[in-house]
Amino acid sequence: MKIAIIGGGPGGLYFGALMKQLDPKHEVTVWERNAASDTFGFGVVFSDETLGGIGNADPVVAGSMSRRFARWSDIDIHFRGEMTTVGGQGFAAMSRKELLELLQRRCAELGVDLRFSTLAPPVEELEANYDLVLAADGVNSQVRAKYADSFGPDLDVRGNKYMWLGTTQVFEAFKFFVKETEAGVMQIHGYPYSDAGSTFIVEMHEDVWRAAGFDETAGEVFGPGVSDELAIAKIRKIFAEELDGYEVLANNSKWLNFTTVRNRSWRHGNVVLLGDAAHTAHFSIGSGTKLAMEDALALAACLHEHPSLEAALDAYETERRPVVESTQRAAQASLEWFERIGQYKDQSATQFAFNLLTRSRRITQENLRLRDPEFAGQVDRHFAEAQGLDQVAPAMFQPYRIGGLELKNRIVVSPMDMYKAVDGVPGDFHKVHLGSKALGGAGLVMTEMVCVSEEGRITPGCTGLYNDVQRDSWKGIVDFVHAQSTARIGAQLGHAGRKASTRVMWEGIDEPLESGNWEAVGPSALPYGPGSQTPRQIDRAEMDKVVADFVAAARRADEAGFDLLEVHAAHGYLLSSFLSPIANRRTDEYGGSLENRLRFPLEVFDAVRAAWPAEKPLTVRISATDWIEGGNTLEDAVEIARAF
């Protein structure tokens, strides 16, 4: 093959070396606009999995890397004057400059044509004259921009400010310094990369950045290789204690906003994206160079194993995309956690350390227990002490109190409609279904939505509490749960509203009944979706009846022995549709503003609370967002929750 590579970073160089190693007859040319000696950044981090793949593909490169690695197993979290050390992590890092140098040498040994300080020819010229064009030209990829229609890029520029620096201090662990300053919370991500220095990344929210005066140089344009020395001088002063007399090292260091790069496709004909041009993952999980070199490994293998370029590139994206997207999900969670770090500044050192370590959702309490049993035990003890509990156990298995209701643990089986009732009466199915969940060890088991009236059912298979036969059947289920388990059981009360009179799920979810249907009502005469029944706008008299139906159902729930009650104001049912500006277009006092849209759901809630025993808890379920333009947002959800 004749291969053109745009970009001489680790991904592009490694791919070139792999292809020449697989077949010396490949003609591989790399264009890099910077000089061979130009290196931006300090250290790069690798996982054991990546190192294993590199070792299998090219033992020469793997051996050279291994000899240069700084290895460590601890994470030190410095917070509120305390240092928490957690072991069992396993990291390896090396100097980015040394990595590039060894990859350059490997490429030269194998006969890759390296052209430094040279702009690549126009990509359209390359794609016409080469079998494959690899765009490894970074986060600001010009190739990606040129063929944006094919690649479909999504560039998510985040609000936090960060600066990539180094220090002559050689850390003995991965360091997180979290510092509360007069301007707000700032953090350092630091790790050793050699016996001479460490990476030292400063990050903070933009509001903190401005309050600290770092925006003084915001309008200044720094040339390639030029660092923001004014900001660096401030950083030295702010983090003097953490630096402990060691130097701060700059290398093209200036304030940046992290950009998460995603693309709909990674190819355009014979042009393929690799590394940061295709995808980025936040530096807090240390995956940029790792992902690029893994891309190179996968692409080289696919080209070697498949008979055509088309098949190889399809296989490459099919294989790599799920891996990359999984990493990006973890990185996004980590990124957002650091964006909100100011929320956690009042936590204790142990709680903060635990939250920092589990921020990406890939490390759990049990995973931590495997890595560092002593720290996991410390977390358990801290939680028990903070909650005033005698027993030391993982938080999930500690008791929890909702009002006057004591639960043996924090596991709740959430409600799920089963559509197995006859005339609203729960039967043996429900007894086995809910009873098995209670016997399974949960602290609280919730019923499916129990409808407050016949016309308030979603489907003919929905349960109800609008007559005494239904109440008595529910009582049998509740008595079984109480007699045979230590679980508590709660009922969820609701009215289907404009989603009423539809088929059971397996016959067509949200589709109207073909026969035996009943009239649906809603805040406005707007159907739920295409093909849905158009509801009749509910009037005041009918609203009074709905309130009375909820009250009657609540009383029957108490008579049946339920321990907790939940008012269902979510998922597009009646109370939910009153809350939503999409479904509620009323012009009276029950429509328009959020205050007005809340009025009827709050009337129902207040009436249920008055009818439900004071010693038993009452909860409410809401939809946090309508997921549609013009609908309720997360901010609205906060106000709705506050109102309830």
Side-chain angles (χ1 to χ4, degrees):
M1 293 182 69
K2 193 177 178 185
I3 300 168
I5 300 174
I6 305 172
L13 291 172
Y14 188 46
F15 177 74
L18 287 171
M19 292 305 293
K20 287 294 282 186
Q21 183 177 279
L22 287 167
D23 188 344
K25 294 193 295 294
H26 289 317
E27 294 179 35
V28 183
T29 306
V30 178
W31 282 269
E32 170 54 55
R33 65 180 181 178
N34 294 311
S37 59
D38 288 346
T39 305
F40 303 126
F42 294 92
V44 290
V45 182
F46 294 94
S47 66
D48 290 338
E49 182 183 9
T50 304
L51 296 175
I54 292 171
N56 291 333
D58 191 333
V60 175
V61 169
S64 297
M65 290 174 65
S66 183
R67 287 189 292 274
R68 292 164 172 79
F69 276 141
R71 294 182 181 273
W72 68 97
S73 61
D74 289 348
I75 292 178
D76 290 343
I77 300 166
H78 298 255
F79 178 68
R80 299 182 68 180
E82 294 184 43
M83 183 179 81
T84 304
T85 299
V86 184
Q89 308 303 312
F91 295 99
M94 66 181 295
S95 160
R96 180 179 173 83
K97 182 176 182 178
E98 289 189 342
L99 175 63
L100 288 171
E101 286 173 348
L102 74 87
L103 289 172
Q104 290 168 10
R105 283 197 301 273
R106 184 61 173 154
C107 284
E109 289 168 4
L110 294 167
V112 176
D113 182 0
L114 299 175
R115 302 184 185 183
F116 290 101
S117 303
T118 306
L119 289 175
V123 65
E124 59 268 26
E125 182 182 316
L126 293 176
E127 63 180 311
N129 296 309
Y130 287 79
D131 299 309
L132 175 69
V133 180
L134 184 73
D137 53 343
V139 66
N140 297 313
S141 170
Q142 294 182 11
V143 175
R144 185 186 64 224
K146 181 173 181 62
Y147 293 129
D149 288 347
S150 295
F151 295 126
D154 174 13
L155 309 180
D156 180 15
V157 182
R158 306 302 299 191
N160 266 21
K161 295 287 186 180
Y162 74 97
M163 184 183 292
W164 208 282
L165 296 162
T167 175
T168 54
Q169 182 177 180
V170 180
F171 297 134
E172 294 180 352
F174 201 118
K175 293 278 191 178
F176 289 103
F177 295 100
V178 180
K179 186 160 191 165
E180 189 169 359
T181 71
E182 291 182 1
V185 178
M186 303 179 188
Q187 63 262 18
I188 298 291
H189 309 248
Y191 55 87
Y193 59 81
S194 73
D195 59 3
S198 303
T199 296
F200 194 79
I201 306 171
V202 186
E203 185 188 17
M204 66 196 73
H205 193 280
E206 185 176 356
D207 292 345
V208 177
W209 178 79
R210 291 187 183 280
F214 284 118
D215 58 344
E216 284 182 74
T217 54
E220 192 169 337
V221 178
F222 298 94
V226 179
S227 298
D228 185 345
E229 295 296 346
L230 188 63
I232 294 168
K234 285 187 176 183
I235 289 168
R236 285 192 183 100
K237 186 175 180 181
I238 292 170
F239 291 100
E241 182 181 349
E242 290 74 18
L243 288 163
D244 194 26
Y246 289 90
E247 265 302 302
V248 171
L249 305 175
N251 181 352
N252 195 42
S253 302
K254 59 203 75 174
W255 291 113
L256 301 169
N257 292 73
F258 188 82
T259 300
T260 300
V261 176
R262 300 179 181 87
N263 284 278
R264 184 179 63 246
S265 171
W266 295 346
R267 61 174 297 202
H268 166 84
N270 64 341
V271 181
V272 62
L273 302 176
L274 181 141
D276 284 355
H279 46 70
T280 59
H282 193 247
F283 55 81
S284 60
I285 66 167
S287 292
T289 301
K290 165 188 173 312
L291 285 175
M293 293 184 71
E294 286 177 347
D295 283 354
L297 272 169
L299 180 56
C302 289
L303 288 165
H304 187 63
E305 293 165 3
H306 291 271
S308 69
L309 180 68
E310 184 78 18
L313 295 185
D314 283 346
Y316 163 64
E317 189 159 349
T318 299
E319 174 187 322
R320 283 296 292 161
R321 186 175 283 278
V323 178
V324 167
E325 289 179 348
S326 175
T327 301
Q328 286 189 309
R329 285 192 293 273
Q332 186 73 11
S334 180
L335 173 157
E336 291 176 0
W337 192 89
F338 280 108
E339 286 178 340
R340 299 191 299 264
I341 199 167
Q343 293 181 195
Y344 316 121
K345 63 183 176 63
D346 296 325
Q347 292 180 346
S348 69
T350 298
Q351 184 180 11
F352 182 87
F354 177 78
N355 286 333
L356 187 151
L357 291 165
T358 58
R359 68 193 183 280
S360 72
R361 304 170 194 161
R362 286 193 163 180
I363 296 177
T364 64
Q365 167 76 332
E366 287 309 297
N367 186 261
L368 271 178
R369 202 177 302 283
L370 292 173
R371 295 167 183 245
D372 190 333
E374 184 178 339
F375 177 71
Q378 178 184 330
V379 171
D380 289 343
R381 290 190 298 275
H382 175 271
F383 185 85
E385 290 169 6
Q387 300 292 317
L389 301 167
D390 296 329
Q391 178 189 9
V392 175
M396 186 165 73
F397 299 108
Q398 291 283 19
Y400 186 69
R401 180 175 291 277
I402 307 175
L405 179 65
E406 177 89 16
L407 304 179
K408 65 179 179 180
N409 59 43
R410 293 153 191 260
I411 302 167
V412 179
V413 179
S414 58
M416 183 69 195
D417 284 318
M418 305 308 295
Y419 309 111
K420 290 287 188 179
V422 177
D423 295 327
V425 179
D428 290 343
F429 174 89
H430 299 84
K431 185 174 185 177
V432 173
H433 172 62
L434 294 169
S436 67
K437 300 300 178 286
L439 291 169
L444 175 65
V445 176
M446 293 297 299
T447 70
E448 61 194 83
M449 185 172 100
V450 180
C451 302
V452 298
S453 63
E454 186 173 19
E455 63 274 14
R457 291 175 299 161
I458 312 163
T459 75
C462 290
T463 62
L465 259 175
Y466 48 86
N467 62 45
D468 292 347
V469 174
Q470 296 160 354
R471 176 202 62 195
D472 294 343
S473 187
W474 278 120
K475 187 177 188 307
I477 295 168
V478 171
D479 288 347
F480 176 85
V481 169
H482 287 159
Q484 302 300 327
S485 79
T486 52
R488 297 292 178 256
I489 183 167
Q492 183 189 72
L493 296 185
H495 187 296
R498 63 181 186 157
K499 294 177 76 174
S501 192
T502 57
R503 305 178 196 181
V504 293
M505 180 181 287
W506 49 90
E507 292 178 0
I509 188 168
D510 294 330
E511 292 184 17
L513 290 169
E514 292 180 343
S515 61
N517 58 313
W518 57 92
E519 188 177 31
V521 296
S524 302
L526 297 169
Y528 175 69
S532 296
Q533 180 186 160
T534 298
R536 178 171 44 77
Q537 179 169 310
I538 191 170
D539 60 25
R540 182 64 255 185
E542 291 171 302
M543 290 162 70
D544 290 340
K545 180 182 182 303
V546 168
V547 173
D549 289 340
F550 267 94
V551 167
R555 288 180 175 141
R556 287 192 178 97
D558 179 43
E559 291 164 3
F562 281 105
D563 303 297
L564 175 146
L565 201 60
E566 179 172 86
V567 171
H568 198 338
H571 303 175
Y573 299 123
L574 182 63
L575 301 185
S576 174
S577 59
F578 262 92
L579 293 172
S580 172
I582 299 297
N584 184 348
R585 302 292 177 83
R586 299 175 74 99
T587 56
D588 60 8
E589 67 270 31
Y590 293 98
S593 67
L594 179 58
E595 181 183 5
N596 283 359
R597 301 197 310 275
L598 270 160
R599 196 181 305 275
F600 181 60
L602 289 176
E603 285 181 10
V604 171
F605 186 76
D606 287 343
V608 171
R609 178 69 276 183
W612 182 244
E615 68 275 10
K616 291 186 178 183
L618 177 66
T619 69
V620 61
R621 169 172 293 224
I622 65 170
S623 291
T625 171
D626 283 343
W627 293 111
I628 188 171
E629 187 176 352
N632 282 325
T633 64
L634 294 176
E635 290 73 21
D636 294 323
V638 172
E639 295 308 315
I640 291 167
R642 182 176 284 123
F644 277 111

